[in-house]
């Protein structure tokens, strides 16, 4: 597939060869005159400037959010590991918004097939629909995927002529046919912005939600959720305006910039995660480049986390400590034992839990969990994560 047909090259100021040898710019292969070899890369940066799905419309001409973030990102010092990152330039929008979604679908799918992680930067949050479509299976059986969204509110509005796609894109993902979703997690919602019926719907679907208050109290709670995701979609509106003044309408509440960077670090570590999108940045609302710096730092931490990925396979082998807990088994649908695994690596505190379907014992999943889940089970209580997974297994 000739991806170069879909992209515009980067402006001269972003491809100049005068970068200091220790900066990110010195190690990124950028689209200037020659399109980068994306098949040989670990990660590929893609700039987006599509705003037809937003209520506010496009920023003024010349305000390209992805380029603004690149300016800050390229100036940063490279991380601790080898960097095989390409910058494919900026995607040309399709003739219609739906064309852009389909274009994104084809590009992300091609990168996934090459084991290159797409990093989507800019445009409306509704563009994650194109990111999502890339995971639609082309063959049976249907592999179920897990995804996570970080946003100040779940975008679950009922679509009608007056609804902007950015306000209903999450609903569109969840009702898409064929349904190839196993689980969805929504992180960072603010209670006063979220209709109660939306949270009730997520609970009935057995999807996990985590409010901004919970994350700010202990952001480590998000680690197992992000460790399970196959792709991640982030709206800059999840970050409080003081730390990222690049969206409208502004909100003084939300995640801090350090919270956002830590969540991207967790996501980068996840060897199952194969794409990430950072959406919603409007440079015309960011006169001092503060939001651009926040997003650039989030990118840096995601890429550095990617360098520290280690395969977490071989459950039940010497790689893991195995803990088997005997439970009372008080009734039908209640397990008599639970099995937990903990990585033996000294630099991590990662736990997993084995969930066997009570309806079909041949169906089993090993899901990321916390040490706290193990402690709950040790006291005879079924962890909520086990209950949710059991319900999803059917």
């Amino acid at each position: 597939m000739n991806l170069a047909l879909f992209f515009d090259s980067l402006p001269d100021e972003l491809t100049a060869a005068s970068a200091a040898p220790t900066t990110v710019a010195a190690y990124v292969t950028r689209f200037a005159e020659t399109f980068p070899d994306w098949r040989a890369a670990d990660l590929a940066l893609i700039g987006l400037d599509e705003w037809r799905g937003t209520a506010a419309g496009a920023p003024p001409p010349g305000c390209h959010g992805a380029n603004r973030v690149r300016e800050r990102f390229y100036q940063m010092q490279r991380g601790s590991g080898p960097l095989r990152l390409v910058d494919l330039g900026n995607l040309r929008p399709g003739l219609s918004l739906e064309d852009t979604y389909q274009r994104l679908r084809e590009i992300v799918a091609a990168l996934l097939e090459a084991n290159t992680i797409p990093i989507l930067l800019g445009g409306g949050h509704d563009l994650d629909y194109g990111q999502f479509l890339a995971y639609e299976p082309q063959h049976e059986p249907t592999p179920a995927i897990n995804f996570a969204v970080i946003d100040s509110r779940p975008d679950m509005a009922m679509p009608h002529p007056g609804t902007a796609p950015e306000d209903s894109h999450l609903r569109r993902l969840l009702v898409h046919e064929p349904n190839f979703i196993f689980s969805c997690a929504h992180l960072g919602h603010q209670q006063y912005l979220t209709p109660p019926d939306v949270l009730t719907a997520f609970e009935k679907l057995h999807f996990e939600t985590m409010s901004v208050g919970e994350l700010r109290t202990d952001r480590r709670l998000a680690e197992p959720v992000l460790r399970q995701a196959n792709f991640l979609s982030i709206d800059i509106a999840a970050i409080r305006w003081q730390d990222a003044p690049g969206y409208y309408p502004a909100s003084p509440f939300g995640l801090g910039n350090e919270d956002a960077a830590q969540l991207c670090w967790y996501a980068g570590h996840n060897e199952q995660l194969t794409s990430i999108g950072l959406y919603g940045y409007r440079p015309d609302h960011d006169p001092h480049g503060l939001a651009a710096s926040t997003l650039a730092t989030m990118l840096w931490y995601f890429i550095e986390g990617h360098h520290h990925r280690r395969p977490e396979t071989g459950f039940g082998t010497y790689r893991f400590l195995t803990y088997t807990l005997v439970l009372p088994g008080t009734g039908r649908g209640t397990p008599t034992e639970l099995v937990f695994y903990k990585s033996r690596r000294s630099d991590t505190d990662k736990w997993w839990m084995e969930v066997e379907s009570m309806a079909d014992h041949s169906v089993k999943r090993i899901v990321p969990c916390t040490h706290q889940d193990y402690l709950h089970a040790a006291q005879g209580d079924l962890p909520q994560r086990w209950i949710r997974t059991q319900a999803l297994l059917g």
Side-chain angles (χ1 to χ4, degrees):
M1 184 179 184
N2 186 7
L3 296 190
L5 298 174
F6 299 106
F7 288 91
D8 290 322
S9 60
L10 295 171
D12 292 342
E13 59 269 22
L14 289 175
T15 58
S18 58
T22 59
T23 61
V24 170
Y27 291 85
V28 180
T29 305
R30 289 160 282 178
F31 181 20
E33 297 179 359
T34 304
F35 196 68
D37 182 5
W38 48 274
R39 292 182 177 87
D42 295 320
L43 308 107
L45 186 61
I46 295 173
L48 303 175
D49 194 29
E50 170 65 87
W51 298 95
R52 284 175 287 185
T54 66
C63 289
H64 198 297
N67 288 348
R68 189 82 175 274
V69 175
R70 286 177 171 113
E71 291 171 4
R72 303 301 177 102
F73 177 58
Y74 287 161
Q75 294 172 12
M76 293 180 168
Q77 297 297 305
R78 66 181 291 263
S80 57
L83 188 63
R84 294 201 303 171
L85 171 66
V86 295
D87 190 333
L88 303 185
N90 296 313
L91 180 70
R92 296 171 182 166
L95 293 177
S96 69
L97 181 58
E98 291 295 326
D99 290 337
T100 301
Y101 295 150
Q102 294 301 322
R103 188 167 290 187
L104 266 175
R105 172 185 189 160
E106 294 176 23
I107 292 166
V108 173
L111 291 166
L112 295 180
E113 187 175 355
N115 294 317
T116 301
I117 295 176
I119 302 174
L120 308 173
L121 178 61
H125 197 188
D126 59 294
L127 296 179
D128 70 350
Y129 181 62
Q131 179 186 1
F132 163 79
L133 289 176
Y135 291 83
E136 184 171 340
Q138 303 301 311
H139 308 285
E140 296 295 340
T142 302
I145 66 162
N146 310 295
F147 73 97
V149 180
I150 300 175
D151 198 351
S152 60
R153 71 184 86 193
D155 295 321
M156 292 282 287
M158 288 292 294
H160 59 75
T163 304
E166 68 173 349
D167 294 327
S168 60
H169 66 102
L170 183 54
R171 178 184 291 273
R172 190 174 185 185
L173 267 64
L174 296 179
V175 302
H176 180 78
E177 292 292 341
N179 179 13
F180 52 95
I181 297 170
F182 180 75
S183 72
C184 166
H186 194 284
L187 309 178
H189 74 272
Q190 299 171 28
Q191 294 283 125
Y192 40 84
L193 298 178
T194 305
D197 62 320
V198 171
L199 295 180
T200 301
F202 268 76
E203 185 177 355
K204 289 181 177 179
L205 291 168
H206 310 292
F207 293 159
E208 188 162 3
T209 60
M210 202 171 292
S211 71
V212 66
E214 292 174 289
L215 287 176
R216 299 215 68 194
T217 299
D218 186 359
R219 64 174 80 112
R220 292 173 300 178
L221 295 173
E223 191 278 330
V225 178
L226 295 174
R227 189 164 18 117
Q228 188 174 8
N230 298 114
F231 78 86
L232 175 61
S233 167
I234 303 176
D235 192 327
I236 191 176
I239 307 171
R240 61 191 180 191
W241 187 86
Q242 300 94 307
D243 289 350
Y247 61 90
Y248 178 86
S251 173
F253 302 102
L255 298 172
N257 49 15
E258 293 180 358
D259 301 317
Q262 183 71 61
L263 296 180
C264 285
W265 169 260
Y266 289 149
H269 271 265
N270 174 15
E271 63 272 12
Q272 291 188 155
L273 192 136
T274 51
S275 73
I276 183 173
L278 305 176
Y279 301 103
Y281 171 55
R282 305 181 66 89
D284 50 322
H285 291 275
D286 187 29
H288 301 291
L290 184 60
S293 291
T294 295
L295 288 168
T297 306
M298 291 165 65
L299 277 179
W300 190 94
Y301 273 101
F302 175 79
I303 293 169
E304 182 69 2
H306 177 273
H307 167 65
H308 287 87
R309 286 185 177 189
R310 299 291 183 272
E312 301 286 5
T313 57
F315 295 103
T317 67
Y318 70 94
R319 294 174 179 265
F320 298 88
L321 295 169
T322 302
Y323 299 86
T324 302
L325 300 177
V326 178
L327 301 179
T330 56
R332 185 178 180 183
T334 304
T336 56
E337 66 178 31
L338 285 184
V339 179
F340 288 83
Y341 302 100
K342 183 185 182 299
S343 174
R344 286 184 180 271
R345 288 171 50 203
S346 59
D347 61 340
T348 185
D349 188 35
K350 293 181 179 179
W351 288 74
W352 289 260
M353 174 173 51
E354 190 173 281
V355 183
E356 182 180 286
S357 171
M358 303 302 292
D360 181 354
H361 295 294
S362 66
V363 177
K364 184 184 300 182
R365 278 203 177 224
I366 297 176
V367 298
C369 67
T370 64
H371 184 210
Q372 199 64 33
D373 288 323
Y374 168 76
L375 294 177
H376 278 305
Q379 295 170 358
D381 299 325
L382 282 175
Q384 282 298 314
R385 186 164 280 114
W386 185 94
I387 295 172
R388 275 194 298 268
T389 306
Q390 183 66 224
L392 291 170
L393 289 174

